Amino acid sequence: MPAQNIQGTLHVDRYLTNFSVNYVQDAKNFVAHRAASVIPVLKQTDKYVTYDRGYFWRDESQPRPLGGRPVQVGYKVGEGSYGAIEWALEHVIDDRQRANVDDPIKLDENATRLLTQKQLIRADRIWAERMFVAGAWATQPLGVASGQTEGTSFLQFNDDASDPVATIDYYRDLMHRKTGFMPNTIVMGAAVKRRLRLNADIVDRIKYTQLGIVEEDLLAKLFGVDNFVVARSVYNSALDGAADSFEYTTDEKAFWMGYIEPNPGLDSPTAIALFAWTGLLPGVTNAVGGVMQRGRDERAHSDYFQNRMAFDIRQVASDLGIFFRSAVA
């Protein structure tokens, strides 16, 4: 009997694809899809336009002479490029597992959660390795225990003498003065958020609010941003067979602030872009370039599930982000 072509049974599962993208949207601990402008693209690799904002902010208007033409102005553009990599995982459900559960559909959803969770971890680690590190941004003040210098360092937030709101206000205005854009996003390490709950200045500012507790929505209002993310995604860094070692994907003692365009295009000003290759399987991938597929392997008496996600994460403008190092001791 000839071998069966099991690949021919692989098909897109729209329910699980939608379930997967909804899980992405609800996974608030993850950063990559919340602290980047998600730009759907049809091609795996392409170029995008970068602008020198200096051309747009110069005051060059002149009186038009009688019979003369207005003064001509222009601007120059640069270009960047992206290359989406397809990341893929597979999970298998044996017929015996289905026969031994009360709700077989839950096995499908659990498979989707498992695969999606791992893909979110991969995306967050890429984001952190490229964006949440020293040297990546034009401005990167350092938290110090004493002797801070405005513009290059600040008093660490675990010190009750520190003023986090004033510190962030200063750097918000600094970025606005240099670029014309006000930061709208903060990504905060877990230890920084933990210390802000105890910071004397923060506690004093919110003690008369309804909750009186330092949570994300209050911090967003205090710091003047629309998008406040606490980076809490965790991954196991141990190799298979070794003792588990759970770590945050980002530096928990640092935080990042910048401008993320909420309605992006290929020519949008933004600090970080996530180019989601929706053209991987045209018409069936979700908005972040992902798809859930399932198939049947009769020889193994099992169903198999594949999660495929194709994307690239790029820094678009180094002056539209600020990385605060060692914000707490």
Side-chain angles (χ1 to χ4, degrees):
M1 182 177 178
Q4 182 182 0
N5 180 11
I6 64 171
Q7 296 301 322
T9 65
L10 185 67
H11 68 279
V12 173
D13 191 309
R14 291 185 180 275
Y15 166 74
L16 292 178
T17 294
N18 290 335
F19 183 85
S20 177
V21 74
N22 288 336
Y23 190 75
V24 170
Q25 292 170 355
D26 291 341
K28 295 181 179 179
N29 291 338
F30 292 89
V31 173
H33 296 89
R34 299 181 64 199
S37 296
V38 179
I39 303 175
V41 293
L42 295 177
K43 297 180 180 180
Q44 183 178 17
T45 61
D46 211 335
K47 296 179 180 180
Y48 57 90
V49 173
T50 60
Y51 292 91
D52 183 341
R53 281 179 293 281
Y55 288 97
F56 290 83
W57 295 99
R58 290 193 181 96
D59 179 8
E60 297 178 301
S61 184
Q62 299 288 335
R64 186 182 66 83
L66 289 175
R69 297 175 58 184
V71 62
Q72 290 188 359
V73 296
Y75 62 90
K76 294 180 180 179
V77 298
E79 65 180 23
S81 61
Y82 70 86
I85 295 175
E86 179 189 342
W87 302 91
L89 293 165
E90 183 175 277
H91 176 70
V92 174
I93 299 175
D94 191 279
D95 288 349
R96 287 170 294 187
Q97 293 173 277
R98 289 201 183 279
N100 201 39
V101 296
D102 295 328
D103 186 355
I105 297 299
K106 290 295 184 183
L107 289 176
D108 298 354
E109 293 184 351
N110 287 343
T112 302
R113 286 192 181 96
L114 173 70
L115 299 178
T116 302
Q117 179 98 349
K118 290 179 178 292
Q119 295 283 50
L120 289 172
I121 289 172
R122 177 86 290 263
D124 262 28
R125 293 195 66 201
I126 292 173
W127 187 94
E129 289 165 1
R130 296 179 182 179
M131 309 301 164
F132 216 68
V133 292
W137 301 95
T139 304
Q140 48 179 20
L142 176 66
V144 294
S146 62
Q148 66 272 20
T149 302
E150 196 171 63
T152 59
S153 61
F154 61 97
L155 191 61
Q156 290 173 319
F157 294 164
N158 51 282
D159 191 322
D160 278 344
S162 66
D163 188 343
V165 174
T167 297
I168 288 176
D169 277 350
Y170 171 81
Y171 284 99
R172 289 176 74 241
D173 289 343
L174 178 66
M175 195 182 96
H176 185 260
R177 186 168 69 249
K178 289 183 175 181
T179 68
F181 288 89
M182 190 68 78
N184 62 359
T185 299
I186 287 178
V187 177
M188 189 160 283
V192 183
K193 165 62 168 27
R194 187 165 63 247
R195 292 303 308 179
L196 285 180
R197 289 175 62 94
L198 305 174
N199 181 271
D201 178 66
I202 295 290
V203 172
D204 185 65
R205 287 174 184 265
I206 58 95
K207 63 184 178 183
Y208 298 117
T209 64
Q210 183 177 0
L211 294 176
I213 300 173
V214 183
E215 297 301 345
E216 282 85 341
D217 58 342
L218 286 175
L219 289 174
K221 292 176 182 177
L222 279 175
F223 297 146
V225 297
D226 300 320
N227 185 24
F228 187 93
V229 184
V230 180
R232 294 190 184 276
S233 60
V234 176
Y235 78 105
N236 185 357
S237 63
L239 298 176
D240 189 22
D244 290 337
S245 178
F246 298 105
E247 303 176 11
Y248 285 119
T249 57
T250 56
D251 180 354
E252 63 175 323
K253 295 184 177 182
F255 73 98
W256 179 91
M257 178 172 67
Y259 178 77
I260 299 296
E261 171 58 45
N263 300 299
L266 283 176
D267 59 351
S268 297
T270 191
I272 305 168
L274 189 155
F275 296 96
W277 185 20
T278 56
L280 174 62
L281 294 174
V284 297
T285 51
N286 59 37
V288 295
V291 64
M292 282 296 303
Q293 293 180 278
R294 61 185 297 177
R296 178 70 183 171
D297 186 351
E298 292 293 354
R299 293 173 299 182
H301 310 290
S302 302
D303 299 323
Y304 60 99
F305 296 77
Q306 294 180 353
N307 183 296
R308 302 167 65 192
M309 189 171 290
F311 63 89
D312 192 11
I313 300 175
R314 293 283 177 171
Q315 181 195 82
V316 178
S318 65
D319 54 356
L320 289 183
I322 300 173
F323 184 59
F324 295 80
R325 301 166 292 156
S326 301
V328 296

